Amino acid sequence: MKPGRHVILMGPQGAGKGTQAERLAPALGLVHLSTGAIFRGTIKSGTELGETLRGYLDRGELVPDGLTLDVVSAALSAIDSGVDLGGPTGALFDGFPRTPRQAAGLESTLATLGHEVAAVVTIDVPRDVLVARLSGRLTCPVCGAIYHVAFKAPLIPGICDLEGAYLEQRADDTPEAIRRRLDLYDEQTKPLERFYDERGLLRRVDGEATIDDVTTALVAAIPPDSRT
Ligand code: AMP
């Protein structure tokens, strides 16, 4: 991947973006940039900003665009300054952009840095499957690994295979918050598919296939010139 070329992974919550990004980012030499993970990390830091963010995340609401764009700009600048030191050349965005304003903000930030989006891939999964997946999702509080009680169970129930830590259910994976987040996706984020389609960047993969098959489809959907 040439410096300053980024990939956006799109799809509703529960489509498998996080799981797939964990696999794809190292394969493509990109930083896995999850705005949700950055926000959850800030909440754990116990700062005032963390408390503000906690309210949005627990309610299943979107964090305001200005705050989200600031976080992403800082992460992009960090990537930019690390490239000459042999660091990753770009980001694999997971959960960003989520609104038209975020997409426009990203476009102008990238233009300023002389960067570009190489591909946008949407993982398609029907809504009833998403609700089932999100309801059983468990996360390791130490390493962030994602499990599912039925579809991707840890070796010992409730314990992370890698860290031995007790797995947790995210506060926003309650039925009420799940419904709100999926509605928000349809209203605010799905229209971005058109935004990227008009730029000739959008690809789609079937997210109901096995985890391995989805990874294979995603790699195939990213144009070869952006994989070198
Ligand atoms: P995720 O881990 O991507 O499911 O994000 C978890 C939560 O973090 C979301 O429900 C939002 O509250 C917040 N969040 C993550 N990314 C964004 C974003 N790009 N814009 C606004 N809020 C976000």
Side-chain angles (χ1 to χ4, degrees):
M1 186 82 86
K2 280 189 249 153
R5 285 168 67 83
H6 308 277
V7 173
I8 297 172
L9 214 46
M10 280 189 53
Q13 292 82 353
K17 295 190 301 296
T19 301
Q20 294 298 336
E22 277 171 18
R23 298 170 145 220
L24 276 181
L28 298 174
L30 298 174
V31 176
H32 176 191
L33 207 165
S34 157
T35 40
I38 295 174
F39 293 147
R40 283 187 290 278
T42 310
I43 290 171
K44 285 215 167 114
S45 72
T47 57
E48 206 174 309
L49 174 61
E51 282 314 302
T52 308
L53 290 171
R54 185 194 300 278
Y56 293 109
L57 269 77
D58 283 359
R59 289 190 299 272
E61 290 171 9
L62 290 183
V63 173
D65 288 333
L67 194 51
T68 305
L69 282 165
D70 285 348
V71 162
V72 170
S73 294
L76 285 174
S77 301
I79 291 172
D80 213 32
S81 45
V83 170
D84 288 344
L85 304 170
T89 54
L92 177 63
F93 287 105
D94 158 13
F96 176 89
R98 259 173 154 102
T99 66
R101 207 182 134 212
Q102 290 179 15
L106 176 65
E107 201 165 54
S108 66
T109 303
L110 295 184
T112 310
L113 293 167
H115 292 195
E116 63 184 16
V117 173
V120 180
V121 195
T122 292
I123 307 178
D124 284 321
V125 178
R127 187 168 174 129
D128 54 337
V129 177
L130 294 171
V131 173
R133 284 186 183 179
L134 291 168
S135 311
R137 185 160 72 170
L138 296 170
T139 312
C140 173
V142 179
C143 68
I146 304 161
Y147 298 87
H148 189 282
V149 287
F151 310 129
K152 195 187 166 203
L155 296 172
I156 303 168
I159 305 287
C160 177
D161 293 348
L162 307 171
E163 298 289 341
Y166 286 105
L167 299 174
E168 293 175 353
Q169 184 174 46
R170 280 171 40 169
D172 58 352
D173 278 346
T174 59
E176 168 79 353
I178 289 170
R179 192 180 49 74
R180 192 171 310 124
R181 284 153 66 213
L182 292 176
D183 285 347
L184 265 180
Y185 186 85
D186 287 345
E187 286 159 23
Q188 308 248 25
T189 311
K190 215 169 163 39
L192 300 185
E193 290 177 3
R194 180 142 169 238
F195 176 91
Y196 288 115
D197 201 21
E198 283 168 359
R199 286 157 176 75
L201 293 169
L202 188 74
R203 318 273 186 277
R204 321 191 75 95
V205 303
D206 171 14
E208 280 200 273
T210 64
I211 293 176
D212 282 345
D213 286 350
V214 175
T215 307
T216 306
L218 285 168
V219 171
I222 295 167
D225 68 344
S226 62
R227 279 195 254 140
T228 52

